[in-house]
Amino acid sequence: MTAEDEVRAVSAAWDEAITSNDADLIASFMTDDWVYVGPQGPTPKEDLVGWIASGRLAHFTMKPIGDDRILQLSGVVVFTARKASTGRWDGAPYEADEWISEVYVPQGDGRWLCALSHKVPAET
C-alpha cells in the first residue's frame, strides 16, 4: 500500500471517529501539537478535544464530496478534499460544506497522524 493510500484510509477512519464523538478516539488521529486553522485563526488540539468531550461540539455526519488530492513531500503527506458535515455547536445545529487540507506525518510504528487541519467554506 502506498503512503497516499494509507493516508486516504486514515482520513476515512478519522471521519468515522469524528461522527462517533468519542473525544479520545478522535484525539488518537492527531499529533500532540496538532492545530486546526479556520476563519478565527488557530485552535489547539486540547480545545477541540475538550469541546467534544463536554458535548459543546458534536458531529453527526462527515461525507467527502468528489475526489481528493494527495501530495507527498519530504516524508509528509498533504491531503486536500471537499467534505460536507452536520453537527451541533453550543446547542445549535449546523451544516458545513468545506475544503479541508490536512498535513499527515508518519510515526515510527507505521501510523500516520495529522499535525494540521485547515478548513475554508466551499463556494457553491
Side-chain angles (χ1 to χ4, degrees):
M1 182 180 288
T2 67
E4 291 88 352
D5 292 335
E6 290 173 4
V7 167
R8 280 187 180 100
V10 169
S11 179
W14 197 11
D15 287 349
E16 288 183 32
I18 287 171
T19 60
S20 77
N21 294 298
D22 179 329
D24 292 334
L25 179 60
I26 293 166
S28 74
F29 286 84
M30 306 168 181
T31 61
D32 290 341
D33 57 354
W34 174 91
V35 67
Y36 161 75
V37 180
Q40 285 76 40
T43 301
K45 176 182 179 176
E46 56 269 12
D47 287 357
L48 183 79
V49 172
W51 296 336
I52 293 166
S54 72
R56 183 177 185 197
L57 174 60
H59 298 88
F60 304 140
T61 63
M62 178 73 66
K63 307 251 187 236
I65 300 172
D67 295 329
D68 59 43
R69 177 179 184 269
I70 300 250
L71 178 63
Q72 189 170 4
L73 299 165
S74 301
V76 302
V77 172
V78 179
F79 175 87
T80 303
R82 185 173 177 181
K83 295 187 180 185
S85 64
T86 61
R88 184 180 62 246
W89 171 250
D90 270 343
Y94 77 82
E95 291 184 23
D97 181 355
E98 302 167 308
W99 283 100
I100 182 167
S101 292
E102 298 172 328
V103 177
Y104 286 88
V105 294
Q107 305 302 293
D109 59 6
R111 295 179 306 139
W112 290 88
L113 294 181
C114 188
L116 179 136
S117 298
H118 179 259
K119 293 182 183 182
V120 296
E123 292 186 6
T124 55

